[in-house]
Amino acid sequence: MKKITTFILAMAALSSIWNANGQTVGDALRFSDQNYYGTARSIAMGNAFTALGGDLGSVNIKPAGSAVNSFSQVTITPGVSISGSRAQYLGEPSLNAKCGPAYKNSSARLTMPNVGVMINYDTRRRSGLKNVTFGFVANGSSNYVDNTSAAGRNGETTFAGSIAAGATGLPLNGLDSGSSAYDNYNWLSVVGLQSGMISAYGDKTDEYVGITESIYESTDGYGNKVYDIRLSDVLDQRYGRVASGSKYDMVFNLGFNVSDRFFIGANLGLISWDYNMDQYFKESAVDPSNFGITFSNGNTASFDGLRYSSSYAAIGSGVYGKIGFIAVPVPGLRVGAAIQTPTATRIKEHWQHAGDTYFTDSYYNSSAQSPRGEYIYKLVSPYRFNIGAAYTFGSFGLISADYEMCDYSSMRFKEVNTNDNSAFDDTNDQISAYTGASHMLRIGAEIKPANGFSVRAGYNLTTSGERYYDDLGNKKTPDANRHAVSAGVGFSTTGSFFADLAVRGNFLAKEYIYPYDDYIFDGAGNPTSLTPEILNKRSLWDVVLTVGFRF
């Protein structure tokens, strides 16, 4: 039985990875998720800053922190992100449960996880409203870099056969009607037919066979033709994807210091993000001579290989509000809390599909490419709240801990320029059914063994916002937690200059990728031959350097 780990892959029956566009539960989770970045100091301490202040890298987490210090400051934080994946291919899950060798991939990109300025105004009062701060900070809140691929051998199922099965019931003259077919039918079936990966057979006009399959014709007891379709021979298969993009919170902040005992702040946050993903699936004949094809004109050739690819790009922008406070009930102890409103995001996405089929005689090669699709819609991401406590040990160091919660079941897709959102009813129902609350624990510490020098460390645990149902119908949370560890050092002069360095490793939950849908079933509708499964383990490392000035 295929494993349940991450929603977008475990719920393959709800959404194929080759969908023409987004608007799936997986997209809503991806675009609503937060994996906070910031300055090197905030990253090194696990962003456990709900009860702390003075660092521009955490203003989007706790608005009141800007009012804690009595000085102005400016920071800039360049960095590099390195994504690593280790993927194993299981080509024939029904016959062999052992995965193949691991395929390791990595990619790196330069980043700018923080830039900001905060101005502090001193009222020169000894009590009451002592300081007012205002400023602008841009902090990273997600990073989408990814590079994954895996390959294996399969003598049981075929990508082309899955396309053929999925096209059953669709009219041949409709799928083959040029560019107009993309307006009426799913793009996987259209590209599959127009690129020669599938074709109708016999006298059928709405049933299809894959280019990698053979047809065995016979008759039943009543003289009717019966067709048995099977994979012709063993295939080599490969899946790959490359993703990029990031999300930023651009925050306009206002903070107030009341008697150095109570700090309150508010943010107007602007979200901006971009996401790009290209993926492909390839099949090639191990022995092309076993994949002979006879065309309608009587000519023959041997299938050599095929490649199906898709590209997807989305940009989004949104707005939210956030308010929070920090209190100092006794010397050394700080407590804080903040709440963020739902984020209304406008999204524009583009997508395109392409297919190529190759023969040993290149004369018969065929290809097809879809038009470039475009769609604009809205996503309302859920509210968030966080609480935290910190304790400082004089000037020697501090420890801090945060808890944050976000209930993803309240996410909703909406249309633009209308209140008729019925097109998203099914997806929004799936959001309610298959998502829930995600919990984040952040822990950080800092010590100062010498004047002007700091050592820091942090840890994050984020539980999954996904849900699934067990055999008894109970709603469950998958074991799909995200962990992060971080460390760093800091240097500060007696003047205005300071610099910090941090490294963080994010370790994501195991991912199970199913490149195509099951299509071979028994009479009761149970799959008898499972399609390939890819076990993927991903990590994301960040190295950042902050340079800043206080004034």
Side-chain angles (χ1 to χ4, degrees):
M1 180 178 179
K2 292 186 175 179
K3 301 172 180 64
I4 296 178
T5 319
T6 58
F7 181 93
I8 192 172
L9 303 167
M11 302 305 298
L14 298 179
S15 172
S16 167
I17 61 175
W18 302 105
N19 270 358
N21 51 355
Q23 305 106 52
T24 68
V25 181
D27 291 300
L29 283 167
R30 179 186 300 111
F31 299 145
S32 299
D33 183 41
Q34 296 278 69
N35 184 22
Y36 296 110
Y37 281 76
T39 63
R41 181 173 183 244
S42 66
I43 291 174
M45 294 177 61
N47 277 308
F49 270 78
T50 298
L52 296 175
D55 191 278
L56 299 190
S58 57
V59 170
N60 56 323
I61 298 175
K62 49 94 189 73
S66 63
V68 171
N69 288 342
S70 59
F71 50 77
S72 302
Q73 61 179 310
V74 59
T75 60
I76 185 170
T77 306
V80 60
S81 291
I82 304 170
S83 172
S85 70
R86 184 179 184 275
Q88 294 176 279
Y89 200 90
L90 178 57
E92 302 169 338
S94 306
L95 305 177
N96 184 1
K98 183 178 180 180
C99 289
Y103 284 74
K104 299 179 181 180
N105 291 277
S106 64
S107 59
R109 61 178 294 237
L110 297 176
T111 61
M112 186 67 70
N114 159 265
V115 61
V117 59
M118 195 65 61
I119 304 298
N120 183 289
Y121 173 71
D122 187 351
T123 66
R124 303 190 183 281
R125 296 180 180 178
R126 294 186 177 182
S127 62
L129 183 60
K130 297 186 64 176
N131 298 87
V132 179
T133 57
F134 53 93
F136 173 80
V137 179
N139 284 328
S141 50
S142 280
N143 190 334
Y144 302 125
V145 62
D146 180 22
N147 185 356
T148 296
S149 69
R153 187 157 286 187
N154 191 345
E156 188 179 13
T157 65
T158 165
F159 179 75
S162 179
I163 299 177
T168 297
L170 302 179
L172 175 62
N173 58 1
L175 297 180
D176 202 26
S177 58
S179 60
S180 64
Y182 296 96
D183 298 327
N184 302 303
Y185 305 102
N186 74 77
W187 289 22
L188 181 61
S189 298
V190 175
V191 172
L193 180 85
Q194 295 188 5
S195 66
M197 294 181 185
I198 67 173
S199 63
Y201 62 92
D203 56 357
K204 307 291 185 180
T205 58
D206 62 354
E207 294 184 24
Y208 303 89
V209 61
I211 193 68
T212 54
E213 297 179 305
S214 296
I215 304 173
Y216 301 89
E217 182 179 324
S218 61
T219 56
D220 60 17
Y222 302 96
N224 299 314
K225 290 183 179 180
V226 177
Y227 299 97
D228 180 22
I229 300 176
R230 286 175 283 175
L231 176 62
S232 300
D233 197 29
V234 179
L235 295 165
D236 283 327
Q237 298 179 321
R238 174 179 285 271
Y239 168 80
R241 74 179 183 213
V242 176
S244 63
S246 57
K247 181 167 68 170
Y248 279 88
D249 285 27
M250 293 171 286
V251 171
F252 295 91
N253 174 266
L254 182 64
F256 305 93
N257 174 358
V258 181
S259 300
D260 292 329
R261 299 292 297 272
F262 188 78
F263 309 88
I264 188 170
N267 289 342
L268 174 63
L270 304 178
I271 296 292
S272 177
W273 55 261
D274 67 285
Y275 175 73
N276 298 274
M277 196 265 285
D278 295 293
Q279 63 180 346
Y280 66 86
F281 190 81
K282 296 170 62 178
E283 299 189 312
S284 58
V286 174
D287 184 354
S289 65
N290 292 325
F291 289 85
I293 305 296
T294 301
F295 296 94
S296 57
N297 60 7
N299 294 335
T300 61
S302 292
F303 166 79
D304 190 34
L306 63 81
R307 187 181 193 273
Y308 195 98
S309 61
S310 71
S311 61
Y312 174 80
I315 57 173
S317 58
V319 61
Y320 68 86
K322 193 166 190 174
I323 189 170
F325 74 89
I326 297 174
V328 186
V330 295
L333 177 64
R334 298 169 184 255
V335 295
I339 187 168
Q340 179 176 309
T341 68
T343 304
T345 306
R346 182 184 177 94
I347 300 171
K348 177 188 285 188
E349 63 182 19
H350 295 95
W351 63 94
Q352 192 166 34
H353 288 210
D356 298 279
T357 305
Y358 305 99
F359 295 86
T360 51
D361 184 348
S362 61
Y363 174 81
Y364 297 99
N365 291 353
S366 182
S367 63
Q369 181 170 287
S370 75
R372 190 168 185 254
E374 178 179 294
Y375 189 46
I376 301 174
Y377 59 97
K378 294 188 291 186
L379 171 65
V380 179
S381 298
Y383 74 94
R384 294 174 174 271
F385 79 86
N386 49 291
I387 58 175
Y391 192 84
T392 59
F393 301 93
S395 61
F396 177 72
L398 63 88
I399 58 173
S400 180
D402 287 7
Y403 166 77
E404 182 171 322
M405 192 278 286
C406 179
D407 186 359
Y408 289 104
S409 65
S410 63
M411 298 183 297
R412 290 294 181 268
F413 286 112
K414 294 184 177 182
E415 296 280 7
V416 295
N417 304 322
T418 179
N419 61 3
D420 180 8
N421 301 305
S422 56
F424 292 118
D425 283 350
D426 289 344
T427 304
N428 288 335
D429 288 344
Q430 291 167 14
I431 289 173
S432 297
Y434 292 104
T435 65
S438 171
H439 308 277
M440 179 182 288
L441 174 66
R442 299 190 291 263
I443 301 172
E446 178 182 61
I447 61 172
K448 298 180 179 180
N451 289 336
F453 181 70
S454 302
V455 179
R456 301 156 184 146
Y459 171 74
N460 290 173
L461 168 65
T462 305
T463 67
S464 176
E466 305 158 12
R467 297 295 184 268
Y468 71 97
Y469 292 85
D470 63 17
D471 294 337
L472 298 178
N474 299 311
K475 194 174 185 179
K476 298 287 187 179
T477 302
D479 182 15
N481 299 331
R482 182 174 67 210
H483 302 266
V485 293
S486 54
V489 295
F491 170 75
S492 178
T493 67
T494 56
S496 65
F497 175 77
F498 64 94
D500 303 300
L501 179 69
V503 59
R504 180 176 68 177
N506 278 285
F507 305 95
L508 284 68
K510 292 180 181 178
E511 178 185 26
Y512 291 90
I513 304 170
Y514 303 112
Y516 53 93
D517 294 336
D518 293 326
Y519 65 97
I520 303 175
F521 302 93
D522 60 19
N526 301 309
T528 56
S529 295
L530 299 177
T531 57
E533 176 180 285
I534 301 170
L535 170 60
N536 189 29
K537 299 177 182 179
R538 290 182 57 212
S539 62
L540 179 63
W541 290 87
D542 296 284
V543 180
V544 299
L545 172 68
T546 296
V547 176
F549 295 89
R550 304 183 180 100
F551 54 94

